[in-house]
Amino acid sequence: MNITKMDEHEPTRPKAISKKPRYSRFTQQELPAWKPILTPGWVIASFVTVAIMFIPTGLLCLSASERVVEIVDRYDDDCLPDSFRTNPDSFIQNNKSNKTCIRTLKVPRKMTAPIFIYYELDNFYQNHRRYVKSRSDKQLRDPGAAEETKDCMPEDIVGGDNDAPIVPCGLVAWSLFNDTYTFSKANKVVDIDKKDIAWKSDTRVKFGSNVYPKNFQKGELIGGGVLDESKPLSEQEDLIVWMRTAALPNFRKLYGKINMDLEANETITVVIQNNYNTYDFGGEKKLILSTASWIGGKNDFFGIAFLTIGGICLFMAINFIFLYVFKPRPLGDPTYLSWNRNPNAQ
């Protein structure tokens, strides 16, 4: 009797909150679905289809790359005088040293205009975090943001009685590539077209048409090239190309274009001003002349990749055909599959 009374007066426990989700065909993955059965015919047909698509594509890519004519000339070692071999930095830093270097290039095959001129730097890490962040994009496009130099140290201001901001500031602009190339053929100068070598989005948006260089390369330590203070940044395409930093330590950047054909076996004379210091960090400098095809410059990677994948698929298809012909296996009855035995689950 007492037990009954205690049960009647016992406080009710709160109802446990269930974490079970509300039922729906979507959450329980019961929506209609295509559930293919991978029969030997389907597998073989799939591999053959991929092979048919990839192998011709790879051959086309390799053919396009092969049609590109490219001349590569490394000149940093050959353009260093013997007297400076033991101390190459002094050669670059000495303003009185003769940095003119003459190179001769032979055209292996006919090069059809436009012929693109690139400079290539190896072992130069433009992707270093401190280097990439050392710039002011707001300053580059807005003439009223010349004082926005907080991210540009140590190349942010020019010291003196009245500190003045550097435009463009930062290490990226300060290290501007400044080797120059002059081409001639049969004692006639070959013109270099340096217009439209930068991206349109950069010249129109990222670099202001009313922003002009100020105090650039006027500090104690001189980096790379200088800029024309009478031209806005949007027209200084060498700088714009350089400031689109590369993702890898070995990279090429467009220097200009030659808008005339070069015949096979012609000799091109190049006068190089070897100004840029790559000796300090063990870098390399190369001059490149190249034509282009529908796939771009000379690059065998895409063709080899397509051929490799297509060849593997063709090999697998042939293997499956042999297995299917010489050692066939009986297929199971698809009526025993769960979705066939329970039509409501489809």
Side-chain angles (χ1 to χ4, degrees):
M1 190 67 179
N2 293 335
I3 296 176
T4 304
K5 289 182 178 180
M6 289 178 64
D7 292 339
E8 291 176 353
H9 293 86
E10 185 178 354
T12 58
R13 296 178 180 177
K15 187 178 179 180
I17 300 175
S18 174
K19 295 183 179 180
K20 182 179 179 180
R22 183 176 297 178
Y23 172 81
S24 71
R25 298 185 67 186
F26 176 76
T27 58
Q28 298 302 317
Q29 299 183 14
E30 294 178 357
L31 293 174
W34 180 50
K35 301 171 182 177
I37 301 173
L38 295 179
T39 61
W42 272 103
V43 173
I44 293 171
S46 300
F47 279 123
V48 170
T49 301
V50 174
I52 291 174
M53 293 173 59
F54 276 55
I55 291 177
T57 304
L59 292 174
L60 285 174
C61 292
L62 283 179
S63 175
S65 178
E66 182 63 25
R67 288 197 298 270
V68 173
V69 184
E70 186 177 84
I71 304 173
V72 181
D73 178 48
R74 180 184 173 184
Y75 63 88
D76 54 295
D77 274 352
D78 293 340
C79 290
L80 182 65
D82 293 336
S83 57
F84 290 96
R85 291 285 176 181
T86 57
N87 189 11
D89 287 349
S90 62
F91 169 70
I92 297 295
Q93 296 168 3
N94 187 353
N95 294 328
K96 296 182 180 180
S97 61
N98 183 13
K99 298 180 174 60
T100 302
C101 179
I102 300 177
R103 307 287 290 172
T104 301
L105 307 178
K106 189 172 183 180
V107 181
R109 289 183 291 161
K110 181 178 179 179
M111 304 180 73
T112 305
I115 301 169
F116 299 94
I117 307 170
Y118 299 93
Y119 57 88
E120 179 177 317
L121 297 181
D122 292 354
N123 201 35
F124 190 112
Y125 287 82
Q126 270 199 321
N127 59 349
H128 191 284
R129 182 173 178 271
R130 287 192 62 189
Y131 183 88
V132 172
K133 290 174 66 67
S134 184
R135 61 188 291 166
S136 175
D137 289 319
K138 188 175 182 180
Q139 185 199 64
L140 295 174
R141 62 176 179 266
D142 185 2
E147 303 290 339
E148 296 284 339
T149 61
K150 61 181 180 179
D151 295 327
C152 295
M153 292 182 65
E155 292 300 319
D156 53 346
I157 58 175
V158 174
D161 296 335
N162 296 316
D163 291 341
I166 299 173
V167 181
C169 68
L171 292 174
V172 183
W174 175 81
S175 59
L176 174 64
F177 186 80
N178 62 339
D179 281 7
T180 61
Y181 311 114
T182 303
F183 294 83
S184 61
K185 182 181 68 170
N187 295 325
K188 294 183 179 179
V189 176
V190 177
D191 294 331
I192 300 176
D193 182 8
K194 307 197 74 170
K195 294 183 179 179
D196 299 326
I197 62 174
W199 291 19
K200 293 297 182 183
S201 59
D202 289 348
T203 56
R204 295 174 181 174
V205 179
K206 292 187 176 182
F207 292 79
S209 59
N210 52 357
V211 179
Y212 292 83
K214 291 188 298 184
N215 304 312
F216 188 70
Q217 302 290 19
K218 293 182 180 179
E220 296 181 359
L221 186 62
I222 304 300
V226 297
L227 299 175
D228 187 352
E229 295 190 356
S230 65
K231 294 173 60 177
L233 295 184
S234 61
E235 296 180 9
Q236 310 218 30
E237 297 194 40
D238 283 331
L239 172 71
I240 298 173
V241 170
W242 176 257
M243 293 197 68
R244 180 165 284 279
T245 52
L248 299 175
N250 302 339
F251 58 86
R252 296 178 180 182
K253 290 185 182 289
L254 186 60
Y255 182 83
K257 294 175 289 186
I258 297 176
N259 294 319
M260 61 179 293
D261 295 345
L262 298 178
E263 300 297 330
N265 299 319
E266 279 189 328
T267 300
I268 306 299
T269 302
V270 188
V271 179
I272 301 174
Q273 293 298 322
N274 186 22
N275 299 314
Y276 202 72
N277 188 4
T278 57
Y279 306 103
D280 192 36
F281 54 87
E284 298 178 1
K285 293 188 290 187
K286 298 174 184 176
L287 171 64
I288 297 164
L289 300 182
S290 176
T291 58
S293 65
W294 61 270
I295 201 174
K298 193 173 188 62
N299 188 348
D300 295 337
F301 172 77
F302 290 109
I304 294 174
F306 277 113
L307 285 176
T308 301
I309 296 173
I312 292 174
C313 290
L314 183 61
F315 175 76
M316 295 298 293
I318 293 173
N319 279 346
F320 277 118
I321 290 173
F322 279 115
L323 288 173
Y324 183 62
V325 171
F326 295 105
K327 290 186 178 181
R329 292 179 58 187
L331 296 178
D333 188 353
T335 59
Y336 285 97
L337 296 172
S338 60
W339 54 85
N340 289 334
R341 296 178 64 183
N342 184 14
N344 293 328
Q346 294 184 354

